[in-house]
Amino acid sequence: MTKAAFIAGDWGTTRLRLYLCDTDGNVLARAEAGGAAVPGHADRFAAAVAAWDAAHGKLPAVLGGMVGSTIGWREVPYLHCPAHAEALAGAALRFAHDGRSIAIVPGLSCTAPTGAPDVMRGEEVQILGALRLQPELGRGRHVFCMPGTHTKWVVVEDGAVAQFLSAPSGELFEVLSRHSVLARDSGPVAADSEAFAQGLDFARRNQKADLLHLLFSARARAVTGVMPKADAASWLSALVLGKDAASAVALLDLSGTVRMVCTPALAALYDRALVPYAVQSAVLDGDAAALAGLVHIQAAMTLNGWR
């Protein structure tokens, strides 16, 4: 029987995904718990892995994501780009807790193409995992899109995260669709709907107008009968994603294939937003990439004597 060697944890704001792994990073068991926004990190982690401790002893744990933020277990300073896997492993915060060795991966910071500072936590682990799953991406320049609450457009050069650009597209849509009149009484967002396609086209044709001057069209179109109220969320989502994609095209070189690290549903939305700019995309599973990244970092730390 394969022997358990370490625990990998992808600890986001709302959810903790835990993996019991053998020496090669193969998953032997899985568990979940509440995210970093919930207090009592040490106690919740101990409860989630109690059965594994009983069977295998207190194995070392490598954790990534918001667990290293101001709301997490221990705050870990950002590592400035460019950053390879080895640099992230070397900058991990290592400490002992209740007889267990724990390492928390740092996030990354950079100066965005806008000239403003930018930060990420968790996405850097997924990027490194994507490079481990597809080693050919470790050579040359590649762009990744990581849709979500705070969407990241990430430039990787020869295996190092060089620069990135963040957009709170998911958060903005959530606030506007739930707490404003813009998409009141609307149905869900549908990537294959006519309203979504028309919204993307409207955003593209109005390149001189910023997003602020387009948003109210979701409300106006519904109340004047130009579109059904049920389509307002799809139209609103298209405006937000369309402007996000247009800015990425303007600020970054998106030649080649953009790798979408996310769920298929989110990838479908962003893929349609990129079509007008002749940008091709390919999908990588976000959970698989996060696990592969943690395994990569654990292996790098182990080579340097961590256990």
Side-chain angles (χ1 to χ4, degrees):
M1 181 176 179
T2 304
K3 183 179 180 181
F6 68 97
I7 296 169
D10 178 18
W11 207 330
T13 302
T14 59
R15 186 169 63 158
L16 166 61
R17 303 170 186 85
L18 289 166
Y19 307 91
L20 179 67
C21 301
D22 66 12
T23 305
D24 296 325
N26 299 308
V27 176
L28 306 178
R30 302 169 187 259
E32 290 196 8
V38 181
H41 302 89
D43 290 342
R44 288 190 293 111
F45 178 83
V49 302
W52 298 348
D53 289 350
H56 309 286
K58 293 188 176 180
L59 299 172
V62 55
L63 308 173
M66 292 300 287
V67 65
S69 72
T70 55
I71 65 170
W73 192 345
R74 297 276 186 97
E75 185 176 2
V76 187
Y78 292 104
L79 181 65
H80 196 72
C81 290
H84 285 88
E86 292 72 19
L88 280 164
L93 175 64
R94 309 177 193 190
F95 62 97
H97 178 78
D98 195 24
R100 185 194 315 276
S101 295
I102 296 175
I104 299 180
V105 183
L108 294 180
S109 67
C110 77
T111 300
T114 59
D118 209 338
V119 294
M120 67 165 64
R121 279 200 193 273
E123 293 90 354
E124 72 289 337
V125 174
Q126 292 179 309
I127 290 291
L128 296 179
L131 300 183
R132 185 174 186 268
L133 294 171
Q134 298 186 9
E136 67 276 10
L137 298 179
R139 298 181 294 274
R141 181 185 183 277
H142 302 279
V143 178
F144 293 77
C145 177
M146 313 181 80
T149 302
H150 299 150
T151 295
K152 309 289 183 183
W153 299 84
V154 186
V155 177
V156 174
E157 296 178 345
D158 293 326
V161 177
Q163 189 182 44
F164 52 91
L165 175 69
S166 300
S169 49
E171 184 172 26
L172 178 61
F173 174 75
E174 182 76 5
V175 170
L176 293 177
S177 61
R178 291 183 177 273
H179 304 290
S180 79
V181 301
L182 298 183
R184 180 175 291 176
D185 302 323
S186 175
V189 176
D192 58 352
S193 68
E194 184 178 356
F196 190 80
Q198 290 178 342
L200 290 176
D201 183 62
F202 182 71
R204 183 184 59 80
R205 287 188 288 104
N206 284 279
Q207 293 184 21
K208 292 184 179 180
D210 62 26
L211 178 61
L212 186 64
H213 295 109
L214 302 183
L215 289 173
F216 194 71
S217 64
R219 173 68 172 169
R221 286 170 59 85
V223 299
T224 59
V226 173
M227 73 177 179
K229 290 183 179 180
D231 289 342
S234 291
W235 175 271
L236 183 63
S237 176
L239 297 184
V240 175
L241 270 61
K243 281 297 186 180
D244 185 9
S247 293
V249 169
L251 294 170
L252 300 169
D253 176 10
L254 299 188
S255 59
T257 300
V258 173
R259 266 70 187 188
M260 301 280 180
V261 185
C262 57
T263 63
L266 277 174
L269 294 173
Y270 270 87
D271 180 65
R272 294 204 68 180
L274 289 170
V275 166
Y277 306 100
V279 175
Q280 301 295 316
S281 67
V283 185
L284 292 168
D285 180 77
D287 288 350
L291 173 60
L294 291 168
V295 170
H296 191 156
I297 291 168
Q298 186 274 341
M301 290 191 300
T302 300
L303 286 176
N304 291 320
W306 181 75
R307 60 181 183 179

